Amino acid sequence: MSVATVLGGCAGRPSQGVLVPTAQASPGNTNVPIYVVTNRRRSDVDPGEMFSGERSDELSFAEVTVSIPPDASRKIGEVQWPARLPGDPHRDFTTVSADYLDKTRFSASVAAAVKQSGRNKVLVFVHGFNNRFDDAVYRLAQIVHDSKAPVVPVLFTWPSRGELRLRAYTYDRESANFSRDALDNVLSSLDSQPAVSEVYLLAHSMGNWIALEALRTRAIRSPAVASGRSKLKHVMLVAPDVDVDVFRSQLSRMEGARPPIALFVSRDDGALSLSKTLWGDVPRLGDIDPNQEPYQSELKRDRIDVYDLTKLAVAGDDAHDRAFEQVGPVVAMIRKRMAQGQVLSEQHAAANPLARLAE
């Protein structure tokens, strides 16, 4: 239990039911539509769950609109779960609408969102361990809202059990393996969307395994597309729960057929420290010291832009979620590096994560 608790991502959340739409509205709230692709099994038990933690061989689609209270009524960087249902939209994240879609309607909805918002960039988010469906939806809404990123948010949510148990951790890891082809399918579908000009991939924790395996698959299957004609322009790896030796192998297999990668690490990440113990004391990619060898030379050689978030630590924070809980300072860090021109050579300019998102 102690192992699972440290590795867990979400605590203090209510029981299922938060995705039941509420008719309540509150002036000053912001509605954030989330476009969902998942290989979770559709729930037949709780209408407020929508999708369970069980696996499906088929992709399903949905659109969920989340209402976020004004900044004065919440702590930036946090998902404010309701203490009881229905939530209070004045201070809680609440659900405005939640609809199942088929693939055709999903594509049409994304295209319509691009046209209506004038935002032709899509951000695909892949969550980590211990995320229920509602966890993932609300977290992406928080990221997009607090970062003020001008993107259409697409959530790829894979069948995590959303439970704080060690056997749930191992189930989730196998679900991550199960999901890599599904994410590849999502990225390929977005490539074919005429309305979308650029795609950004943001992965967290165990979701980085899925992201890297999907990139590896794309590089092997179609290197020309992966390296040149794909709309996938940037990949952001946040607190990756990935064996550092496996990461080296994955990068080697991708060779030049990959988009620019940015790595966000925290050297005080207790979850990844424990994961390292579970996986045979091999370092996890998300808690390396990027200034130490051999990492410093390897990252420079592979043109991976690194952001060390350890310096953003504050008392009582969760290093594993730091990039999202302190998204404002993280974006400021990126902007500062861009302004200093540290990675703005002609060859390396595109490697700035969120470069165009942070403008």
Side-chain angles (χ1 to χ4, degrees):
M1 175 61 75
S2 62
V3 170
T5 299
V6 174
L7 289 171
C10 299
R13 54 195 178 184
S15 59
Q16 298 290 0
V18 298
L19 294 182
V20 174
T22 173
Q24 294 177 295
S26 179
N29 281 29
T30 301
N31 288 346
V32 181
I34 303 296
Y35 303 93
V36 179
V37 188
T38 183
N39 60 340
R40 293 174 183 260
R41 188 181 303 168
R42 186 165 168 170
S43 177
D44 56 4
V45 177
D46 184 349
E49 184 180 30
M50 293 190 73
F51 295 97
S52 72
E54 301 306 307
R55 301 164 186 160
S56 171
D57 292 328
E58 304 293 331
L59 287 179
S60 296
F61 305 87
E63 178 180 349
V64 181
T65 299
V66 180
S67 174
I68 299 179
D71 292 350
S73 302
R74 57 180 290 261
K75 182 178 178 181
I76 305 301
E78 287 188 359
V79 173
Q80 257 167 247
W81 294 97
R84 60 180 59 87
L85 299 175
D88 180 354
H90 294 90
R91 63 173 183 264
D92 301 326
F93 281 41
T94 54
T95 302
V96 176
S97 63
D99 300 299
Y100 296 104
L101 306 176
D102 59 24
K103 185 175 182 179
T104 300
R105 283 186 62 201
F106 171 83
S107 298
S109 296
V110 171
V114 168
K115 182 177 180 180
Q116 292 169 7
S117 67
R119 300 171 175 179
N120 56 5
K121 302 163 190 170
V122 168
L123 176 67
V124 178
F125 176 56
V126 186
H127 60 78
F129 164 64
N130 183 30
N131 273 240
R132 296 184 323 211
F133 180 71
D134 54 3
D135 294 325
V137 169
Y138 274 26
R139 175 57 88 182
L140 180 53
Q142 176 264 313
I143 292 169
V144 172
H145 177 270
D146 290 347
S147 68
K148 298 178 173 59
V151 295
V152 173
V154 171
L155 170 65
F156 175 70
T157 173
W158 49 280
S160 165
R161 282 267 169 84
E163 296 175 354
L164 288 174
R165 294 186 295 174
L166 182 56
R167 64 179 181 179
Y169 180 75
T170 56
Y171 172 87
D172 279 15
R173 177 53 186 256
E174 291 306 298
S175 288
N177 288 330
F178 174 78
S179 302
R180 48 196 170 188
D181 289 342
L183 177 59
D184 176 34
N185 185 308
V186 173
L187 296 174
S188 297
S189 295
L190 290 171
D191 272 342
S192 66
Q193 276 263 23
V196 175
S197 65
E198 297 180 1
V199 176
Y200 298 78
L201 179 59
L202 172 64
H204 181 231
S205 190
M206 193 181 287
N208 285 275
W209 173 257
I210 305 171
L212 288 166
E213 284 293 283
L215 292 177
R216 181 178 179 274
T217 298
R218 286 162 67 83
I220 294 171
R221 187 189 67 248
S222 184
V225 171
S227 60
R229 295 193 295 275
S230 173
K231 293 178 181 177
L232 181 59
K233 301 303 180 184
H234 300 275
V235 175
M236 292 158 279
L237 310 178
V238 176
D241 187 3
V242 176
D243 183 309
V244 71
D245 292 332
V246 174
F247 175 66
R248 291 187 181 105
S249 175
Q250 290 168 320
L251 274 190
S252 175
R253 194 62 185 88
M254 294 176 208
E255 296 180 340
R258 65 169 173 84
I261 292 177
L263 172 63
F264 295 79
V265 303
S266 293
R267 287 173 280 115
D268 56 343
D269 190 326
L272 294 183
S273 177
L274 191 49
S275 178
K276 172 184 173 180
T277 301
L278 288 175
W279 295 109
D281 288 328
V282 178
R284 312 310 282 175
L285 181 61
D287 69 348
I288 63 170
D289 184 343
N291 296 313
Q292 285 190 350
E293 296 295 351
Y295 307 122
Q296 185 177 46
S297 297
E298 291 175 347
L299 294 167
K300 181 178 180 180
R301 178 198 66 204
D302 294 324
R303 302 189 311 280
I304 295 176
D305 203 15
V306 184
Y307 291 83
D308 189 344
L309 306 186
T310 312
K311 64 187 74 173
L312 298 181
V314 296
D317 77 341
D318 184 348
H320 200 55
D321 291 334
R322 185 172 291 147
F324 307 141
E325 294 178 353
Q326 299 197 45
V327 66
V330 170
V331 171
M333 181 187 295
I334 295 168
R335 286 175 173 160
K336 181 179 179 181
R337 181 173 297 185
M338 290 167 58
Q340 293 172 341
Q342 293 180 10
V343 289
L344 292 182
S345 68
E346 182 177 3
Q347 179 183 14
H348 202 86
N352 285 283
L354 293 175
R356 297 170 190 170
L357 302 186
E359 291 173 354

